[in-house]
Amino acid sequence: MLLHYITNTPISVPHSYSAFSSHQSPFHFRKTLPQSSHHPSPLGQLHKRLHVCSGMDAIGVSLKKEVAVGVDASIEEEYVSLSKLYKEFTNMSTIDKAWTYKSPNGKGSHATFSIGQPNLFANKKKKLMLSSFISEDSNGTLHVQWSPFPIEITGASVMVPSPSGKKLLVIRNPENDSPSQFEIWGPLQLEKEIRVPQSVHGSVYVDGWFEGISWSSDESLIAYVAEEPSLCKPTFNDMGYKKDVGPTDKDCNSWKGQGDWEEDWGETYAGKKQPALFVLNIDSGDVRAVDGIGRSLSVGQVVWAPTTKGSGSGSHQYLVFVGWPSDTRKLGMIYCFNRPCALYAVKAPLFGTEIKENAINDVSVINLSQSTSSAFLPRFTPDGKFLVFLSAKSAVDTGAHNATNSLHKIEWNSEGEPSPAKILDVVPVVMCHEDGCFPGIYSHNALSKPWLSDGSTMIISSIWGSKEVIISVNVLSGKVSRITPSDSNQSWSLLSLDGNNILAVCSSLIDIPQIKYGSLAKDESKDATWHWQDVSTPTSESHEKVKSLLSSLQFDILKIPVKNVQENLTKGANKPFEAIFVSSKSKHEACDPMIVILHGGPHTSLLSSFSKSSGFLASLGYSLLIVNYRGSLGFGEEALQSLPGKAGLQDVNDVLTAIDHAIDMGLADPSKITVVGGSHGGFLTSHLIGQAPDRFVAAAVRNPVCNLALMVGTTDIPEWCFVESFGSKGLSTYTEAPSPQLLKLFHDKSPISHLPKVKTPTLFLLGAKDLRVPVSNGLQFARALKEKGVEVKVIVFPEDTHAISRPQSDFESFVNIGVWFKKYCKK
């Protein structure tokens, strides 16, 4: 499913260059940047595509005009006030990625940050680049020099620096029938521009999951994943069917038919049907499809294998990739880590004089991970001896869309052809952990080079309870260490490694993100220790309004004991779960009204990291109770697996238990509680207002699951309905044509079964292009509530999918949530 309330880590940019400044920037023109005095970077040479950020201030005016229709004056003033406040939060940018590379003289490092900033007026996300030079003096004091302005990159789908940092790949995906555009930038200029027509392949995958863009070690080749060319469609003209027409042939006297329907990979992958593997030769500009894979596999996450010893002229270069079976029904992929997958090796294609006669006959795909049902994110150790990877076997085997991961390795054969090898455990699944101890790996991304200089220590981000932390894993010994401070409730997100140093972002629900630089202590003690320093930024004085609002808040992570501990549950399932409580520092005689915030999934988590939407709601004068009920990530596998088969019961009871706990502690007034959730959080919200109709004065739901019997036949993840309703045995019950008996069971486990008891005013926020929980689910429930006289408000976003994440849609959503709750929950 989907988590609606986790956002990327924001970082401030200079206010005068933010997307919505109070005045127009004088720098609104194309400009070539001066070169760094340290080392010319290819990032600085994108002058034909770069803009300095400009300002504008149009949203507030248009909002006034929109809400004035059919709205009384007091509500209109609420819209004006809340939209102005939320704009302070949405102006903030997010760090998406960072890269570091040593300067040529070996003194200091260059760091480049890829930053996103919502552009409300254009309803798009700006992509910015911000560069810096980092050095440490003899006393270990950090010095950072920043470029004067962030730079906007227009039209780029993805940017990937080469391993040396001397080249930069920029990919621009096609619009309509245009070719894909590959640009290779060097230190001084654009060195190569290559256009790949759609007859070779469609858009390059830059989704973060199928996505795999990998430079070869000599930086002459780039392997990547792109959509396979479309199958030929029938052509018709005034004479009828036209024969012998190619897939891209155009003729003004004919038209293309639709042809056979082909399944895609569901939510956010509309039209994405067959990700395939390609290699680009930078020198010649040639692009070749990798032979031998076939359409029975969809591929992703490609990396170059270490060069085989003794191979001449690259004739034995191998690619390692992840393959998902695609010869049966394609179930939705995004956020669904329970899809079976394996690691494969295949010979890279040859170019030019390397091509031998009948070379294609020598191509075969080798399954490297036959003994496990899941293997992804392959990474080679620096010495090339081991291939390390993550596994979601627990999710695949149980059907839960997300679960506790494990880390494994296989020995790599550097002498000849790769072959299936014994899989060795590095970090197994943690079933039940002791208090304060490592709960298991919860991560689905990794740096392209995640290694410290010893070549065996891997650095990754992972969820640990209600926090994100950074951990180190020694892949030889299996030792796991938490390297971010253990005495902090803040969350830490890994950005990049700089030798034995780490660039990270630290934030909390009441602290805007701060870039941190971690250094491994130089002493030879047995347990490595890390020293963290703040990285000063040119934006330290920006967003004073947001910082001022957050400074009046405090938060804590509450341990919530399970009510009615059951003997038939595992130890992990009976352990306390967590809720994050955000409140004002000011003491009042009466409690502030409280918003209960519920995540989707259900196997995700809401973390203590900064959230624009949560910060906005807390700034309106509400306390927040953010519940990570049993089944959430970060608490061990036993706790997680206690939920499937009990959705709508155990999770509902956990939320009510958390509310009672807050009331008992004197943190909440039972007469002033609202609830909001999206996806499975909307399922919980809809259940709560039916099962506990007197507990909530108002509710808001974003793309909620309201009727499983309706959803099962229309969603891209029908098996989710079976697993969350019936547990892992739902996998054997799963069918595309549920019987009337099954449909009745689905109805009985759905919020709609409690419809007669609902009386809570409810706001519905729905994405019309949602393939995960189609809009019909929310509309049916809203219409039924309206029919029985419950006050309902429905907003449908025509172009939004499940996340409702387009900038204008996000903005309108949370402004309306704020207005809705203020209407029914007065302070």
Side-chain angles (χ1 to χ4, degrees):
M1 297 298 282
L2 178 66
L3 172 60
H4 283 297
Y5 291 95
I6 287 185
T7 60
N8 289 329
T9 305
I11 178 175
S12 308
V13 297
H15 184 66
S16 58
Y17 300 103
S18 68
F20 304 100
S21 300
S22 58
H23 59 275
Q24 288 286 341
S25 164
F27 299 104
H28 186 52
F29 53 85
R30 295 177 184 263
K31 181 179 180 180
T32 303
L33 292 182
Q35 285 298 301
S36 164
S37 60
H38 299 286
H39 177 59
S41 165
L43 295 166
Q45 301 306 316
L46 289 162
H47 57 278
K48 292 183 180 180
R49 309 294 202 278
L50 306 189
H51 305 259
V52 176
C53 293
S54 63
M56 56 186 166
D57 191 17
I59 291 298
V61 175
S62 62
L63 260 172
K64 283 188 179 182
K65 292 179 179 178
E66 289 293 328
V67 302
V69 180
V71 179
D72 64 42
S74 62
I75 295 295
E76 183 174 2
E77 286 305 313
E78 291 284 11
Y79 275 104
V80 172
S81 172
L82 269 61
S83 63
K84 184 177 180 181
L85 177 61
Y86 194 36
K87 196 173 72 169
E88 295 285 346
F89 286 88
T90 56
N91 274 349
M92 301 180 72
S93 297
T94 57
I95 299 178
D96 298 325
K97 294 179 181 178
W99 301 276
T100 58
Y101 25 86
K102 291 292 183 184
S103 62
N105 61 13
K107 297 179 180 179
S109 300
H110 294 272
T112 302
F113 298 88
S114 174
I115 296 172
Q117 184 178 27
N119 183 337
L120 284 174
F121 192 68
N123 204 17
K124 294 180 180 179
K125 184 178 179 181
K126 287 177 175 286
K127 291 185 179 180
L128 313 171
M129 303 296 287
L130 188 62
S131 299
S132 66
F133 184 79
I134 302 173
S135 61
E136 286 186 277
D137 61 24
S138 58
N139 297 320
T141 303
L142 195 67
H143 300 277
V144 184
Q145 296 172 274
W146 292 90
S147 57
F149 308 111
I151 305 302
E152 183 182 1
I153 313 293
T154 59
S157 301
V158 70
M159 295 166 286
V160 184
S162 66
S164 68
K166 295 179 180 179
K167 297 178 182 178
L168 176 72
L169 168 68
V170 177
I171 298 176
R172 304 179 192 276
N173 269 328
E175 295 182 2
N176 302 319
D177 296 327
S178 304
S180 298
Q181 187 171 321
F182 292 72
E183 298 169 1
I184 308 297
W185 291 82
L188 298 174
Q189 61 188 3
L190 175 64
E191 295 186 347
K192 200 89 173 183
E193 189 169 354
I194 301 161
R195 297 176 183 269
V196 182
Q198 296 221 3
S199 57
V200 176
H201 64 63
S203 294
V204 177
Y205 278 77
V206 293
D207 60 303
W209 189 240
F210 285 116
E211 177 183 342
I213 301 172
S214 182
W215 289 79
S216 63
S217 58
D218 64 1
E219 302 187 356
S220 66
L221 303 172
I222 298 172
Y224 60 95
V225 178
E227 182 69 10
E228 195 171 84
S230 299
L231 299 175
C232 288
K233 294 183 177 181
T235 302
F236 302 92
N237 57 22
D238 57 356
M239 301 296 292
Y241 181 77
K242 190 175 181 180
K243 297 191 296 183
D244 302 326
V245 178
T248 59
D249 291 354
K250 293 185 178 180
D251 182 351
C252 62
N253 296 314
S254 63
W255 73 93
K256 291 285 186 183
Q258 295 303 310
D260 291 352
W261 176 74
E262 189 176 3
E263 203 142 31
D264 58 29
W265 281 105
E267 172 69 16
T268 75
Y269 288 109
K272 301 288 188 180
K273 303 168 184 176
Q274 192 67 39
L277 197 52
F278 298 85
V279 175
L280 165 68
N281 184 304
I282 295 173
D283 293 333
S284 67
D286 290 342
V287 172
R288 295 189 182 277
V290 176
D291 293 317
I293 297 175
R295 291 178 62 84
S296 63
L297 286 178
S298 287
V299 308
Q301 302 178 17
V302 61
V303 296
W304 290 91
T307 304
T308 304
K309 292 180 181 179
S311 59
S313 66
S315 61
H316 285 83
Q317 283 189 287
Y318 280 88
L319 297 167
V320 171
F321 64 91
V322 180
W324 292 266
S326 57
D327 50 357
T328 56
R329 172 171 178 178
K330 295 185 178 81
L331 295 170
M333 179 62 76
I334 193 167
Y335 314 116
C336 302
F337 303 103
N338 61 329
R339 305 301 178 223
C341 55
L343 296 184
Y344 296 86
V346 65
K347 283 185 179 179
L350 303 177
F351 290 87
T353 56
E354 297 175 338
I355 298 176
K356 302 175 183 177
E357 261 187 70
N358 302 319
I360 192 170
N361 296 328
D362 195 30
V363 174
S364 60
V365 175
I366 303 155
N367 187 333
L368 301 172
S369 59
Q370 295 178 4
S371 61
T372 185
S373 56
S374 173
F376 60 93
L377 285 183
R379 297 290 185 269
F380 283 94
T381 53
D383 60 11
K385 292 182 178 179
F386 292 101
L387 175 59
V388 180
F389 61 92
L390 283 168
S391 174
K393 185 177 186 297
S394 289
V396 174
D397 294 351
T398 63
H401 274 202
N402 206 346
T404 313
N405 291 335
S406 51
L407 187 69
H408 307 271
K409 65 183 179 183
I410 58 177
E411 292 188 24
W412 184 254
N413 180 12
S414 60
E415 301 294 337
E417 184 175 282
S419 60
K422 181 180 179 181
I423 295 176
L424 305 173
D425 292 343
V426 177
V427 180
V429 170
V430 175
M431 299 303 295
C432 179
H433 63 288
E434 296 302 320
D435 292 346
C437 295
F438 173 60
I441 293 178
Y442 300 92
S443 179
H444 298 97
N445 55 67
L447 301 178
S448 58
K449 292 183 176 180
W451 308 102
L452 295 183
S453 60
D454 63 6
S456 59
T457 300
M458 187 179 194
I459 306 297
I460 58 176
S461 293
S462 184
I463 297 173
W464 190 307
S466 296
K467 297 168 284 191
E468 184 176 19
V469 302
I470 301 175
I471 61 174
S472 66
V473 181
N474 187 302
V475 299
L476 301 180
S477 68
K479 181 181 178 180
V480 178
S481 301
R482 176 175 173 173
I483 62 176
T484 46
S486 59
D487 58 352
S488 169
N489 280 337
Q490 294 178 311
S491 282
W492 294 68
S493 179
L494 177 65
L495 286 176
S496 182
L497 295 186
D498 179 22
N500 279 340
N501 303 308
I502 296 175
L503 270 178
V505 169
C506 174
S507 72
S508 81
L509 288 158
I510 62 171
D511 298 297
I512 67 171
Q514 167 70 52
I515 300 176
K516 299 278 190 175
Y517 193 78
S519 302
L520 187 60
K522 295 181 173 61
D523 59 54
E524 299 298 324
S525 62
K526 183 178 180 181
D527 293 323
T529 56
W530 288 81
H531 173 59
W532 294 95
Q533 300 182 68
D534 290 345
V535 175
S536 61
T537 70
T539 62
S540 57
E541 297 182 0
S542 62
H543 299 297
E544 289 301 322
K545 177 69 178 290
V546 170
K547 289 192 283 188
S548 175
L549 289 167
L550 296 177
S551 68
S552 66
L553 303 175
Q554 59 188 354
F555 85 101
D556 194 14
I557 298 177
L558 310 177
K559 298 285 187 181
I560 314 294
V562 174
K563 274 189 179 177
N564 304 319
V565 173
Q566 301 175 29
E567 291 184 1
N568 61 338
L569 287 179
T570 60
K571 178 183 176 182
N574 279 320
K575 296 186 71 171
F577 57 97
E578 291 182 354
I580 307 171
F581 186 72
V582 183
S583 62
S584 171
K585 290 178 181 177
S586 303
K587 300 295 182 182
H588 306 290
E589 287 187 14
C591 295
D592 288 331
M594 185 173 76
I595 301 175
V596 179
I597 299 179
L598 304 173
H599 65 71
H603 309 298
T604 55
S605 293
L606 282 173
L607 305 177
S608 65
S609 52
F610 181 73
S611 162
K612 296 179 185 181
S613 56
S614 294
F616 164 67
L617 294 174
S619 298
L620 297 179
Y622 295 95
S623 297
L624 309 180
L625 185 67
I626 304 168
V627 185
N628 285 319
Y629 45 85
R630 284 175 293 166
S632 304
L633 300 181
F635 300 92
E637 186 67 4
E638 287 183 354
L640 186 144
Q641 292 295 346
S642 70
L643 181 56
K646 302 172 189 173
L649 294 173
Q650 178 178 293
D651 43 5
V652 169
N653 289 332
D654 282 355
V655 175
L656 293 173
T657 298
I659 294 171
D660 289 339
H661 187 83
I663 294 170
D664 292 343
M665 292 180 66
L667 302 175
D669 181 338
S671 67
K672 295 188 293 186
I673 298 176
T674 63
V675 60
V676 59
S679 193
H680 186 86
F683 172 83
L684 276 180
T685 299
S686 303
H687 258 301
L688 285 161
I689 61 176
Q691 294 189 40
D694 298 317
R695 302 294 299 267
F696 306 96
V697 296
V701 290
R702 290 160 56 94
N703 286 327
V705 178
C706 301
N707 186 350
L708 290 164
L710 174 62
M711 177 180 169
V712 71
T714 56
T715 179
D716 66 332
I717 54 166
E719 95 294 352
W720 178 90
C721 301
F722 285 82
V723 171
E724 296 303 331
S725 297
F726 310 121
S728 58
K729 64 182 180 182
L731 289 175
S732 58
T733 313
Y734 169 63
T735 172
E736 296 284 354
S739 66
Q741 292 77 16
L742 276 174
L743 291 175
K744 183 181 184 304
L745 288 172
F746 282 133
H747 180 275
D748 292 345
K749 290 176 177 288
S750 300
I752 202 167
S753 67
H754 300 283
L755 179 74
K757 296 178 286 183
V758 178
K759 54 188 178 183
T760 307
T762 305
L763 169 66
F764 288 80
L765 302 159
L766 309 174
K769 292 188 175 180
D770 186 353
L771 300 179
R772 181 74 21 114
V773 186
V775 68
S776 56
N777 229 268
L779 286 177
Q780 182 195 44
F781 198 60
R783 287 166 174 156
L785 289 179
K786 192 172 183 180
E787 182 181 56
K788 70 183 295 289
V790 177
E791 187 155 0
V792 166
K793 179 181 176 71
V794 178
I795 301 176
V796 176
F797 301 97
E799 299 301 319
D800 274 85
T801 57
H802 192 56
I804 314 183
S805 58
R806 286 154 54 89
Q808 291 178 5
S809 304
D810 171 88
F811 190 87
E812 187 176 354
S813 291
F814 283 100
V815 169
N816 272 279
I817 289 171
V819 171
W820 188 256
F821 285 171
K822 277 204 165 190
K823 179 179 179 181
Y824 294 100
C825 194
K826 301 295 184 183
K827 290 197 67 175

